[in-house]
Amino acid sequence: MSDQSTPSPSLAASSPPTSLPPSPELQKLNLSSEVSEQDKQEALRLKAAANKAFTSHEFNDAARLYSESIQKNPNEPTVWCNRAYARMKLEEYGYALTDASQAITLDPKYAKAYYRRATCYMQVMKYQAAVADFKKVLALEPNNDTVRGQLVSTQKLIRKIEFEKAIEVEGEKDPVVRCREIIQEGGCEVDSNYTGPKLPQSEDGKFYMTQEFLQEMIEWFKQGKTLPKRYAWEIVMGAHEQFIKEESLVSVDIPDGVTCDVIGDVHGQFYDVLHLFSLTGPPSEKHYLLMNGDLVDRGSWSIEVILLAFSYKWLYPKYMYINRGNHEAKDMNRTYGFEGEAKHKHGEQAYKLFAHVFTTLPLSTLVNATKPPPSKDNAILSPEGFKRFFVVHGGLFSKDGVTLEDIRKIDRVGRQPGQEGIMCELLWTDPQEAPGRGPSKRGVGIAFGPDVTKRWCTLNGVTGVIRSHEVRQNGYEIEHEGLCTTVFSAPNYVDQSGNKGAFIRIDSAGNRKYTQFEASPHPPMKPMAYIQGGLGSLMM
C-alpha cells in the first residue's frame, strides 16, 4: 500500500488549510508611533536581559523579555529577530516566521533575519521558501560559505523529494510483504561473525522475543553496537502484527491492582528512556506502559528507542501500548534525522519498513478506570460512571462534535497525517489559554481553548485529555481547569532545553500520580547527528 498524504473523505473533517499565524503581540502594537528616548533605553535593557536568559537556555523567559522590549520599542529589528530565534527554540515556528518577517520589514537588508526565516521554513518543510531566503542572504553576504552550503544542501533535498514522488507508484508493494520475500529468498541472513545477543527461534525457524534477549539487547546498545538487520526487521514485523489488530482508538481497561504509566515524547534520547523505564518498571500484567508518540527524531539513538519499544510490544502486546506522534511520519523523519539514522544503521529497506509500520500505530488510547472514583469531585465520567482519559499525542479538533467512534473508525494504515483533517489534528494541535480556537503557533493545525476541551470531554464522557507534543519545563502541566494535561518525557530536550521529564501513573480508580525525572548522561553524540545533507545545524 502506498503512503498517502491526502486524507480520505472520512478524514477530511476538520482543519482548514494552515495559514501563517500572526504573532500575538503584533496586532496590539502601534508601529507608527514615536518612541521616546526613555522607552528606547528601557527596551535595550530588556533586550540585554532577554539575551542573558537565552544564553542560559531559558527560552520562555527570553521570549517574554524580548516581547517586553518590543512593547517599549517596536521599531528595533534585532529584537524581533532575536525573539524569532527564541520561539524557534520553543518550536513555535509559525510565530517565529512572522517575527522574522517583521524584522525584514523594518530592515530589508537584515541578512540574519532572512536566515532565521529560512531556518523556520526548513522546520515547517517549506523548502522552496527557504531557498529564496538563503539566496537573499547570499545577495547581501556573497562570501558566506556556510549559507551557500546550506542552500546547496536544501536544493539537493528538494530534488530528492521530487524524485521520490516521481517514482512512488500507486499500489507499491507493502514493505512488510517485501521484507518477508527478501528473507524467503535468503537475502537477509545474520552474519556468521556476529557475536551479540541471539534472537531465539522456535523449532519451525520462526523468531520470537524474550525478556532475556531484550535485556541483552539493551546492554549491546549501551556498548554503541547495532543489531543485525534481520533482527531489526523481525522486531518491527513482530510489533506490526500487534498494531494491525488494534483500532485507531485503542481501549485499555485498568483492573483493580493494575496501573498504567503514560509517557510523553522521548525523541530518540535512549539513555533517558533507560532511566525512565527504571522508574516505571517494564510492562507486565500488573503494570501497563503507554508511549504517547514521538519516540523518534532529533535524538540520535532513535533506532535504539524504537526497537526497544517495539520489542516490548512484540513480547507484551496487552501490557505495552504505543500511540503515533507527529514525528512518526515520513516528512518529519526526512527532516529531523530518523530516516538518515535508520538507513545508516540498517539500510534503505529497513527505513521503508519503519515508515510503513509507523502508519499502523494507533492514533489514540482510551484509558478506562474500572473502579468508581473514591469521591465526588465533579469529574466528567463515562456513561458507566468511571473515570477515563483520552490519551493522544497532539490534541483536539477545529470543529465540535467529533466523537470517540469517529476517531475509532479512522482508516490510518498506509496514510501520512498531512496538514489538515482529523488525523492531522490528533497529532499536531496544541492547547491555548484563550477560549475558542486560534491559529497554531507551529504553523500546522490549530490551537484549542478550555471551552473547546470542556465541550468535547462532556460530549464524550471523558474525564480528561492527556497529550504530549510540547516541552514543559517541569515535565508536565495541568491546563484547562484540569481537563487537559501535557506530559513530556525527554528531559533536557535536544541537550539544551534544561527541562525535566515526567510520566503519569493512572490506577484502577482513575487517580493520577505525576513523577518527574532529570536527564541522564549519554555518550558524546549530538542530537540530529544523522540528518542528511549537512543540514543538522539548521534543525537545532
Side-chain angles (χ1 to χ4, degrees), residues 154-268:
T154 306
Q155 290 170 325
K156 286 180 180 177
L157 178 61
I158 290 169
R159 289 195 292 272
K160 177 176 180 284
I161 293 167
E162 289 171 347
F163 176 74
E164 288 173 354
K165 285 179 180 176
I167 63 170
E168 210 168 59
V169 180
E170 184 68 32
E172 184 183 359
K173 188 168 284 185
D174 182 322
V176 174
V177 173
R178 182 61 191 134
C179 285
R180 295 202 188 283
E181 286 179 352
I182 294 170
I183 289 168
Q184 200 71 29
E185 294 160 2
C188 191
E189 296 300 311
V190 178
D191 192 314
S192 58
N193 295 323
Y194 170 68
T195 59
K198 300 286 196 297
L199 190 62
Q201 289 175 276
S202 58
E203 290 182 4
D204 60 2
K206 288 187 177 180
F207 286 99
Y208 62 95
M209 179 58 61
T210 63
Q211 183 64 45
E212 292 72 24
F213 173 84
L214 207 150
Q215 289 305 126
E216 290 173 6
M217 178 183 73
I218 290 171
E219 293 305 315
W220 189 247
F221 286 161
K222 284 163 69 175
Q223 295 172 40
K225 298 177 180 178
T226 56
L227 290 180
K229 180 166 61 176
R230 175 65 178 277
Y231 287 2
W233 287 15
E234 293 289 347
I235 290 168
V236 178
M237 291 189 293
H240 169 263
E241 288 178 11
Q242 305 304 325
F243 293 133
I244 56 172
K245 297 174 187 175
E246 296 176 330
E247 296 177 302
S248 291
L249 171 62
V250 175
S251 189
V252 178
D253 294 337
I254 309 299
D256 193 18
V258 174
T259 55
C260 176
D261 287 347
V262 180
I263 294 167
D265 305 37
V266 294
H267 277 297

Side-chain angles (χ1 to χ4, degrees), residues 467-496:
R467 42 89 61 183
S468 302
H469 194 40
E470 288 182 283
V471 180
R472 291 292 191 263
Q473 286 305 115
N474 290 317
Y476 72 95
E477 186 173 359
I478 301 169
E479 304 165 81
H480 291 188
E481 299 175 357
L483 292 178
C484 181
T485 301
T486 298
V487 59
F488 194 82
S489 305
N492 195 26
Y493 179 46
V494 292
D495 286 356
Q496 60 180 236

Side-chain angles (χ1 to χ4, degrees), residues 50-63:
N51 290 345
K52 185 176 180 181
F54 187 97
T55 303
S56 302
H57 293 177
E58 295 166 358
F59 302 122
N60 278 301
D61 286 344

Side-chain angles (χ1 to χ4, degrees), residues 46-70 79 82-87 89-90 99:
L46 289 163
K47 176 187 174 185
N51 290 345
K52 185 176 180 181
F54 187 97
T55 303
S56 302
H57 293 177
E58 295 166 358
F59 302 122
N60 278 301
D61 286 344
R64 175 182 55 79
L65 288 162
Y66 286 132
S67 296
E68 292 177 12
S69 177
I70 287 168
V79 185
N82 288 2
R83 189 172 71 173
Y85 199 22
R87 285 176 159 169
K89 293 296 186 182
L90 297 168
D99 279 356

